Amino acid sequence: MKQVTSTLESQPLSLKDRVLRLIRRNMYQWHRVLGIITVIPVIFWTLSGLMHPFMSHWFKPTIAHDFIPQYPIQKNQIKLSVAEVLKQNKITKFKNFRFITLDKQTYYQIKDTTNHLLYFSTQNGRPLPNGDIRYAELLARYLIDDYTSPILAITQITEFDHEYKYINRLLPVWKVSFDRSDRMDVMIETEQSRMATFNTQGRKTFIRIFDLLHNWSFLEMISNKGLQITIMLMLLAIISLSTGSGIVVYGFLWKRFKKPTAGNTKGILKKYHRQIGIAVSLVTFAFAGSGAWHLVRKLTPDERNKFVYEPVFKTAEVEVASLMPDIQWDRLLNIQIVKIGRTNYFQLFYDKTELESAEVIYQHTYTQKMLKDGSVLYAKYLANKFANLANVNGSLQSACCDLMSDVANEDISNDNLLHAEILTRFDREYGFVNKRLPVVKLNYNTPEKTSYYIEPATSRLAAKIENADRAEGWSFAILHKYLLLEWAGKNVRDFVTLLSATGVLITSIFGLVLFIKNR
């Protein structure tokens, strides 16, 4: 019998058995090493994640008005046409014009060829000194309903930074800073009379902390974005491995480790580290996986702000245009000019009434003939331009589209257009994060099911979404932000998010304490 036993024990183990033995002997040590490598990153990410519901929902600062209303233009204040004003001020070329109201007076807002906004009276054509700054202050004061607090500074933001993040989308904007107890800053896009965002001192502090702990902006300061994302991806991968090894150790090999006894503090910690860790393991995988996918997508720069079509018009091109007597002045909100091909059109923005809905009419500058479905036709024209712009030598070359061919390398021809519609509100695919409305949505029958979202009022690309973007967006929305629980209300969604992040945080802290005690 002893001889048989000895023979059996001397038989070589299979590769599978050797691997399993190696795992059993070393898995706990691997788990400890992986866990200690990522414990600080996990604490950073979970703490900043816990802050988010409080600052974005429960304790989010509010202002008096969320948007700037538009009212019909006062025709009796328009004594001079835009051509007369341009000639009077010796402006031979411009990019666009529209009307604005400032201190109960109507002005032409002219965008010149250097992208500066100039203001001229519609009654006498005289320029308004510092018009853009004055207009930004007026809009900011209206939004916060504060006409008495002193202004600390009004500065123009032309690039995104640590405080005015890329998520705000709009550039350039004016930052109007008020001398108040909350140190309110309001960011205004004067070109379209809209608010980009606002920040109180508390919100600015939160943005800085969140940026440091969640986005790791300190790495971007000392290196570059590529290295920052690479380091974060490596740590997220290690977190997933640590979670997986924890499941093996505390789920399948738990009997091999010492169980808690009375007064055994380390045993108690190990018990709850195990129980809470297994309970939130799927949450940890979801946070890490969706976060990693989100970071991978960020390796491809989002350059949508560079896709804008702004041809230069000659003053002579609008010289023959009259005040167009057939315009419905009682509901006309504004006028702009656009070029489709070689033809110029006025964009007429009409307000809704009890009998008519809001609409944008495209009217030929010479013949005054209306262009049917003008917004959709213009959006298709712009999408074609932008597709060309993105495909020149495989990369973005320039923001000037005038010399581009009208035939895109990407097949977004009219024959491939599946659906076109005008969106006046955000939806699941085109969310609030995109900022711009109204937009025209164009769905094309391409391999990636490409959708272009065009903002006709600014001739800009608001978003370009393909299947890969939809999949990643779904992953981040559902697995990272728990938007699937929106049906139950934001409070329920944020509470579940809070509970999940807290579980991951407690597991990490218990693991850190165990590591210190073992040392």
Side-chain angles (χ1 to χ4, degrees), residues 112-128:
D112 67 14
T113 55
T114 61
N115 294 323
H116 290 100
L117 298 180
L118 311 175
Y119 295 74
F120 302 95
S121 169
T122 58
Q123 298 193 53
N124 54 38
R126 294 174 185 168
L128 177 67

Side-chain angles (χ1 to χ4, degrees), residues 272-291:
Y272 288 111
H273 177 67
R274 171 190 180 241
Q275 291 177 346
I276 299 174
I278 290 177
V280 299
S281 58
L282 289 179
V283 169
T284 307
F285 280 129
F287 279 150
S290 58

Side-chain angles (χ1 to χ4, degrees), residues 418-438:
L418 298 174
H419 177 68
E421 65 175 312
I422 298 174
L423 300 182
T424 57
R425 62 180 63 185
F426 299 108
D427 58 20
R428 181 57 61 88
E429 180 173 289
Y430 184 76
F432 177 76
V433 69
N434 294 290
K435 299 295 183 181
R436 300 179 182 276
L437 280 179

Side-chain angles (χ1 to χ4, degrees), residues 81-95:
S81 70
V82 64
E84 291 172 324
V85 170
L86 290 168
K87 289 180 66 178
Q88 178 179 319
N89 290 276
K90 296 180 172 54
I91 298 174
T92 58
K93 295 180 180 180
F94 67 100
K95 284 191 172 182

Side-chain angles (χ1 to χ4, degrees), residues 222-240:
I222 62 177
S223 59
N224 57 63
K225 198 167 187 69
L227 181 60
Q228 172 198 14
I229 292 175
T230 300
I231 291 173
M232 294 173 75
L233 284 172
M234 289 174 58
L235 288 170
L236 287 170
I238 296 172
I239 288 170
S240 297

Side-chain angles (χ1 to χ4, degrees), residues 27 31 34 42 45-46 233 235-249 252 276-294 474-476 478-482 500-501 503-504 507-508:
M27 181 58 72
H31 176 68
L34 293 171
V42 169
W45 277 322
T46 51
L233 284 172
L235 288 170
L236 287 170
I238 296 172
I239 288 170
S240 297
L241 289 174
S242 175
T243 304
S245 62
I247 291 173
V248 173
V249 168
F252 299 104
I276 299 174
I278 290 177
V280 299
S281 58
L282 289 179
V283 169
T284 307
F285 280 129
F287 279 150
S290 58
W293 195 355
H294 193 63
W474 179 91
S475 163
F476 197 72
I478 304 303
L479 303 179
H480 211 89
K481 301 176 72 175
Y482 290 9
S500 301
V504 178
T507 302
S508 300

Side-chain angles (χ1 to χ4, degrees), residues 10 48 58 83 93 112 118 120 134 139 161 172 200 239 348:
S10 64
S48 54
W58 289 325
K93 295 180 180 180
D112 67 14
L118 311 175
F120 302 95
R134 292 171 65 175
L139 297 180
D161 56 27
T200 59
I239 288 170
L348 308 177

Side-chain angles (χ1 to χ4, degrees), residues 28-141:
Y28 181 62
Q29 185 64 26
W30 294 344
H31 176 68
R32 290 177 63 201
V33 172
L34 293 171
I36 203 62
I37 290 173
T38 57
V39 66
I40 299 302
V42 169
I43 290 174
F44 280 2
W45 277 322
T46 51
L47 280 177
S48 54
L50 289 171
M51 292 170 57
H52 198 272
F54 291 97
M55 293 303 299
S56 65
H57 181 202
W58 289 325
F59 295 105
K60 182 180 179 180
T62 58
I63 56 174
H65 304 105
D66 293 322
F67 67 96
I68 299 160
Q70 297 184 68
Y71 301 101
I73 298 168
Q74 300 298 312
K75 183 183 177 182
N76 59 1
Q77 288 199 14
I78 303 175
K79 305 300 182 184
L80 299 174
S81 70
V82 64
E84 291 172 324
V85 170
L86 290 168
K87 289 180 66 178
Q88 178 179 319
N89 290 276
K90 296 180 172 54
I91 298 174
T92 58
K93 295 180 180 180
F94 67 100
K95 284 191 172 182
N96 219 320
F97 77 94
R98 70 187 191 106
F99 295 101
I100 66 102
T101 301
L102 178 59
D103 296 331
K104 299 182 179 180
Q105 298 296 315
T106 304
Y107 293 87
Y108 286 111
Q109 183 192 70
I110 307 293
K111 187 171 188 177
D112 67 14
T113 55
T114 61
N115 294 323
H116 290 100
L117 298 180
L118 311 175
Y119 295 74
F120 302 95
S121 169
T122 58
Q123 298 193 53
N124 54 38
R126 294 174 185 168
L128 177 67
N130 298 317
D132 210 27
I133 293 177
R134 292 171 65 175
Y135 189 47
E137 178 183 347
L138 172 75
L139 297 180
R141 287 192 180 279

